[in-house]
Amino acid sequence: MHVRTKGEAQVARSSTGFVAGLTAAALAVVGFLAYQASASAPPAADLAAPSSASASAKPSNVPPAGSPASKPDLSVPANSGTGVRVVYSLSAKRVWLAGVAKTPRTFAVVPSAVSPKPGTYIVTSRTGHTTGSDGVAIEHVVVFTTAKNVVVGFSAAVNDSMSSPKTEKKTGGIRMQRADGDAMWAFATHNSKVVVVP
């Protein structure tokens, strides 16, 4: 059995004191960091679900998402007459294929550079495929009038582009997407009525 000398006992006591000092210092640092973290955390009330007061802080003139007021009115314009007809609204830049289905098909269009005047027209000619005056390959051309000596009608770009014609020429092509062009082609046969509204 080994008996510690006086020197060994002093070393053991000093080592134990040193380790205890390190442990106390480490605990002090951890405690300080925990205090800082809790001081910078938001109050528990801020983490709770928003109250009715904060939920109602939205501007009162903005309708709730999904409400009827948040959706544009896509009904057929009232001043477009009755019966089976293509309705083209100049201001809405939109077309309706009306008078057959309970809910008419409607879609956005890119207006022509030369716009027709409001009024009632009939489809005068149709062309399956051609090249537009802006050099773009187009299909399902449905012509219904002329304006300022420019032929005006509906068409779809073969590349499905909905961009405005990039030309200095005055063009009369009212562009739509290809799927809408397919629907127009099936709907607007020769002598079909086209109503243009402001």
Side-chain angles (χ1 to χ4, degrees), residues 10-108:
Q10 285 178 340
V11 169
R13 279 196 301 273
S14 65
S15 294
T16 304
F18 179 70
V19 171
L22 282 178
T23 303
L27 288 173
V29 169
V30 170
F32 177 72
L33 292 175
Y35 168 76
Q36 278 191 325
S38 66
S40 63
D46 291 350
L47 299 175
S51 66
S52 58
S54 63
S56 64
K58 294 178 183 176
S60 58
N61 61 347
V62 177
S67 69
S70 67
K71 298 176 183 174
D73 181 13
L74 299 182
S75 55
V76 181
N79 58 341
S80 67
T82 59
V84 178
R85 66 210 184 278
V86 175
V87 179
Y88 172 39
S89 170
L90 298 170
S91 59
K93 301 176 185 177
R94 180 165 287 276
V95 164
W96 290 261
L97 306 181
V100 175
K102 183 176 180 181
T103 303
R105 182 181 181 122
T106 182
F107 46 88

Side-chain angles (χ1 to χ4, degrees), residues 126-163:
R126 290 163 33 105
T127 304
H129 294 85
T130 189
T131 300
S133 55
D134 58 352
V136 174
I138 56 176
E139 63 183 4
H140 297 156
V141 181
V142 176
V143 174
F144 62 91
T145 190
T146 57
K148 300 179 183 177
N149 296 320
V150 174
V151 175
V152 178
F154 304 106
S155 64
V158 172
N159 66 6
D160 218 14
S161 167
M162 288 281 286
S163 58

